[in-house]
Every structure is written in structure tokens, then in C-alpha cells.
């Protein structure tokens, strides 16, 4: 829909400039078809000596010729941009190819059209001047198109940045709300109380993990992505806290090579969101434990997998968390997340982000 709207905008500009160029061609200075630098032509007349206005039929024919040729150039350039922009090439390569084909087709159009008209009408031989005019007109069209493309991309980037900030704010709010909601703090503090009475070393470790988790929730600021190693540490802190609470009815494994940990990044709190959903939406016991696996998959993806046994009385779920994560991915790198679900398992694939997608 957006692409169609953009094409309509290009065609509107094409129609306006086509008519305008046809009208401009009425002026004798612009429409001087026999320039002074051809030796076999008489000297160029002064402006006051030029025949103006010309006969009505010549005026209409001139406007029609110029308008048709300009429209052909617009059609060529819009068509080329629509086709070449879909290719998986670098932007510079696509621009060079588009410019080259555009100028080549311009030469063919003018020598196949305008020059042929000159030969038929007054017996003139093929000349270089119409080609110079053609290339000049085509350059004007390319400049106008590139300005519109740049304006469109700038507006699109601004919109995407606004969406990313909004989605990040929503995600941060949801995460903070989940972490600071009464039942989370009650369960965490109650577990901590039991550990202090019976297992003081474990209580100290549990308290450190809880404080790290809450500190990250509050102090994440404007960060939208985080290195994989740091995101995994936050997730492990959360998992270890749940491990203390659920004991043998819950287990997890991490299958990510060490050299991958420092290579990419993920949206902040993305892994924790997925494991939290697995714990929240599944029933599990010692006999039928919940198993969560975080692994490195093909095509630089981090896969969060869990066996599936939905709760009988499930709390109402808005689905905001996973939907928000997919939207954040779409804004950051242009594609969403991959979700796979069967009766036995549920998994989500998160593409690792690299280079320009890793920012705060």
C-alpha cells in the first residue's frame, strides 16, 4: 500500500513536469532547435528577430512532441526504479546501474524518436544537440526522483525511530511492571526469607541476582539493544531465581558457543520475556517438569524452546509482550521473529543483530 502511494506521488510529479516542460518549450530561447555551433547553419537570430508567436499548429505540435518525450523519460525512470530497487544489491550499485540504463534508453528514445522526426520533416541529418537536450532533461528527472526518494527515506527513518522509541517505552514499561508487580516481589522476598533461615549462602546469591535484575529493569534508560552476553546473564539471573522457587519441576539448558556470545546483540529483555512466558503459561511438576532450552540455531538465530503443557486455568493474556518484541524487531532490522508451535513444544527464533542494528 505504501509503495503504491509512493508511485502515485511520482506519477503526479511526472504529469506536472511533463506539462510544464511542454509549455516552457514555447519560449523561443528554450526552443532554439538549431544552435549556433553548427557551421552549416546561419547565425542564431536575436530574441527580438525571432518569429513569435508561431503558427498555431506548430505550437501545438512542439508542445505535444516535448510532452510525449518527457513523459517517456519519466516512464523509463519510474519503471527502472521500481525494478532495480527490489534487487538485493548495494545501494551504490543499484544507483549506478539505474543511471546507466536510464541514460542509454534516453539516447535510444531521442535518436529513435526526435531525430527521426527531424529527418522526416526537414531532411536534416542526425545531430548531437537533441541528445544533449535529452540527457539534460533526463538528468533533471533523475535529480527530482532522487530528491523525492531521499525525502521519502528520511521520513520513513523518522517514523521508524519514533515507532522504535514508542515500542521500547512500552516494552520497558511492561517489563518494569512485571518485575515490580506485587506478586513477583512477594514471591521473590518470600523465597529469600526461606533461604535466609535455612541456606544462607544460597540466600546471598539469590539476593544478588534479584538486585541485578531489578537494577537492570530500572536503569536500562534509552537502551534498545544489548550485547548477547549481557542479555543472557540477565536471563540466567531470572532463571536461577525461578529454579530456587520451583526446584526439580523446572530445568533449563544453555547451548550457545562462547565465541558467539560476543558477536551480536538482542533487544533488551527479549530472552527473559520468552522464558517468563514459558513459565507463566505452562503447568509443570516434578513428574512432568518444564524444560527450557536456549540455543544457537542456523542463520545466526537464538532459539528459545520449551515443552508445552498449557495450564488448565490460564490467566488472561494480552499477548502484548511477544507482539511488542516482534514489532521492535521489525523496526530495528526489517524482519520479525519466527514462532513455531505444536502440541508438544513452543519455540521462538530471534535473529542476532549486528553492526548498525546494535545501538543504544
Amino acid at each position: 500500500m505504501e509503495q503504491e502511494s509512493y508511485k502515485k506521488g511520482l506519477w503526479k510529479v511526472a504529469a506536472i513536469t511533463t506539462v510544464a516542460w511542454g509549455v516552457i518549450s514555447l519560449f523561443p530561447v528554450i526552443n532554439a532547435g538549431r544552435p549556433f555551433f553548427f557551421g552549416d547553419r546561419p547565425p542564431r537570430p536575436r530574441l527580438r528577430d525571432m518569429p513569435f508567436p508561431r503558427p498555431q499548429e506548430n505550437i501545438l505540435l512542439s508542445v505535444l512532441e516535448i510532452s510525449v518525450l518527457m513523459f517517456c523519460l519519466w516512464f523509463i525512470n519510474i519503471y527502472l526504479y521500481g525494478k532495480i530497487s527490489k534487487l538485493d544489491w548495494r545501494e551504490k550499485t543499484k544507483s549506478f546501474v539505474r543511471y546507466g540504463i536510464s541514460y542509454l534508453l534516453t539516447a535510444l528514445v531521442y535518436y529513435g524518436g526526435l531525430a527521426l522526426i527531424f529527418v522526416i520533416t526537414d531532411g536534416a541529418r542526425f545531430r548531437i544537440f537533441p541528445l544533449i537536450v535529452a540527457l539534460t532533461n533526463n538528468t533533471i528527472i533523475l535529480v527530482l526522483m532522487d530528491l523525492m526518494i531521499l525525502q521519502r527515506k528520511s521520513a520513513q527513518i523518522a517514523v521508524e525511530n519514533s515507532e522504535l522509541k514508542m515500542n521500547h517505552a512500552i516494552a520497558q514499561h511492561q517489563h518494569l511492571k512485571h518485575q515490580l508487580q506485587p506478586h513477583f516481589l512477594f514471591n521473590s522476598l518470600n523465597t529469600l526469607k526461606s533461604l535466609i533461615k535455612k541456606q544462607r549462602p544460597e540466600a546471598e546469591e539469590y539476593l544478588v541476582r534479584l538486585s541485578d535484575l531489578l537494577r537492570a529493569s530500572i536503569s536500562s534508560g534509552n537502551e534498545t539493544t544489548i550485547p548477547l552476553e549481557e542479555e543472557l546473564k540477565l536471563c540466567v539471573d531470572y532463571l536461577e531465581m525461578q529454579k530456587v522457587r520451583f526446584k526439580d519441576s523446572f530445568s533449563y539448558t544453555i547451548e550457545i558457543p562462547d565465541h558467539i556470545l560476543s558477536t551480536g546483540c538482542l533487544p533488551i529483555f527479549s530472552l527473559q520475556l520468552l522464558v517468563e512466558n514459558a513459565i507463566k503459561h505452562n503447568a509443570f511438576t516434578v513428574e512432568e517438569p518444564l524444560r527450557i532450552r536456549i540455543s544457537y540455531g542456523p542463520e545466526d538465530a537464538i532459539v528459545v524452546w520449551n515443552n508445552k503443557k498449557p495450564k488448565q486455568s490460564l490467566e488472561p493474556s494480552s499477548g502484548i509482550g511477544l507482539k511488542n518484541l516482534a514489532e521492535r524487531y521489525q523496526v530495528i532490522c526489517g524482519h520479525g521473529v519466527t514462532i513455531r508451535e505444536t502440541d508438544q513444544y513452543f519455540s521462538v527464533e530471534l535473529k542476532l543483530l549486528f553492526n548498525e542494528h546494535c545501538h543504544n
Side-chain angles (χ1 to χ4, degrees):
M1 191 69 179
E2 181 182 352
Q3 186 72 13
E4 292 299 322
S5 175
Y6 177 63
K7 285 184 177 180
K8 287 181 180 179
L10 279 178
W11 283 118
K12 286 181 181 179
V13 175
I16 294 173
T17 54
T18 294
V19 175
W21 211 257
V23 173
I24 291 174
S25 69
L26 295 175
F27 294 93
V29 174
I30 302 297
N31 196 42
R34 293 177 168 85
F36 67 91
F37 48 79
F38 289 117
D40 59 340
R41 297 291 181 182
R44 193 173 191 176
R46 292 175 296 178
L47 179 60
R48 64 173 178 267
D49 297 329
M50 290 181 179
F52 188 84
R54 290 165 289 167
Q56 186 69 20
E57 60 272 13
N58 292 342
I59 293 176
L60 295 177
L61 181 60
S62 176
V63 171
L64 181 61
E65 289 174 356
I66 298 299
S67 298
V68 169
L69 289 170
M70 286 296 292
F71 185 80
C72 288
L73 293 182
W74 269 108
F75 177 82
I76 288 171
N77 284 287
I78 293 176
Y79 179 81
L80 285 176
Y81 177 72
K83 292 296 181 181
I84 295 178
S85 62
K86 297 177 182 178
L87 299 177
D88 189 19
W89 296 349
R90 293 187 305 171
E91 287 300 322
K92 288 184 177 180
T93 303
K94 289 192 287 189
S95 296
F96 284 135
V97 171
R98 181 164 62 91
Y99 294 162
I101 297 177
S102 176
Y103 283 118
L104 178 61
L105 292 178
T106 298
L108 293 176
V109 167
Y110 262 74
Y111 270 133
L114 187 61
L116 181 61
I117 293 173
F118 283 161
V119 170
I120 294 174
T121 55
D122 60 5
R125 52 196 174 86
F126 288 101
R127 299 191 176 278
I128 194 66
F129 185 68
L131 179 60
I132 296 175
V133 175
L135 296 179
T136 302
N137 292 347
N138 193 61
T139 301
I140 294 173
I141 291 175
L142 286 172
V143 169
L144 289 175
M145 282 191 61
D146 285 350
L147 287 175
M148 292 183 65
I149 292 169
L150 181 61
Q151 183 182 20
R152 177 203 179 199
K153 288 183 177 179
S154 298
Q156 186 176 359
I157 290 173
V159 170
E160 288 179 352
N161 285 338
S162 298
E163 290 179 353
L164 182 58
K165 289 179 181 178
M166 180 182 66
N167 288 332
H168 175 64
I170 294 173
Q172 190 175 18
H173 170 72
Q174 290 292 327
H175 181 78
L176 187 59
K177 185 175 72 173
H178 285 314
Q179 298 294 29
L180 298 182
Q181 57 187 321
H183 82 263
F184 174 82
L185 288 177
F186 175 79
N187 290 334
S188 300
L189 295 176
N190 193 42
T191 303
L192 180 61
K193 178 182 177 182
S194 300
L195 290 175
I196 291 175
K197 289 181 177 180
K198 301 176 182 178
Q199 300 170 296
R200 286 184 175 273
E202 287 80 359
E204 183 178 350
E205 182 181 356
Y206 186 91
L207 181 60
V208 170
R209 293 185 184 279
L210 176 61
S211 62
D212 288 344
L213 201 60
L214 295 178
R215 186 185 302 111
S217 301
I218 297 172
S219 64
S220 59
N222 295 322
E223 293 180 355
T224 57
T225 59
I226 186 173
L228 173 60
E229 189 171 10
E230 296 180 25
E231 173 66 16
L232 189 61
K233 181 183 182 303
L234 291 176
C235 183
V236 169
D237 285 339
Y238 179 81
L239 288 169
E240 284 296 325
M241 291 173 59
Q242 302 308 311
K243 181 71 174 167
V244 171
R245 179 183 172 192
F246 295 109
K247 302 189 184 307
D248 294 335
S249 61
F250 162 73
S251 65
Y252 73 91
T253 56
I254 307 292
E255 300 175 2
I256 301 178
D258 291 339
H259 68 278
I260 298 297
L261 294 176
S262 58
T263 58
C265 57
L266 290 173
I268 190 168
F269 304 130
S270 54
L271 291 181
Q272 185 186 339
L273 168 69
L274 298 178
V275 299
E276 185 179 358
N277 282 346
I279 294 173
K280 178 181 178 182
H281 297 301
N282 286 281
F284 45 93
T285 61
V286 176
E287 292 76 19
E288 297 181 345
L290 174 67
R291 301 188 306 278
I292 296 177
R293 182 174 68 244
I294 303 175
S295 60
Y296 177 71
E299 299 182 358
D300 294 318
I302 301 299
V303 183
V304 180
W305 178 97
N306 64 270
N307 60 323
K308 185 178 173 185
K309 188 180 179 183
K311 290 182 178 179
Q312 296 299 323
S313 57
L314 188 63
E315 300 176 22
S317 175
S318 62
I320 291 178
L322 191 55
K323 180 181 177 183
N324 178 270
L325 178 60
E327 290 177 351
R328 287 163 68 194
Y329 254 92
Q330 188 67 39
V331 172
I332 292 174
C333 58
H335 56 75
V337 300
T338 302
I339 300 174
R340 292 186 173 88
E341 184 175 11
T342 67
D343 294 336
Q344 288 76 36
Y345 72 88
F346 182 88
S347 71
V348 179
E349 291 185 11
L350 305 178
K351 289 285 187 180
L352 272 177
L353 305 174
F354 299 97
N355 301 328
E356 70 274 10
H357 298 312
C358 289
H359 53 81
N360 292 336

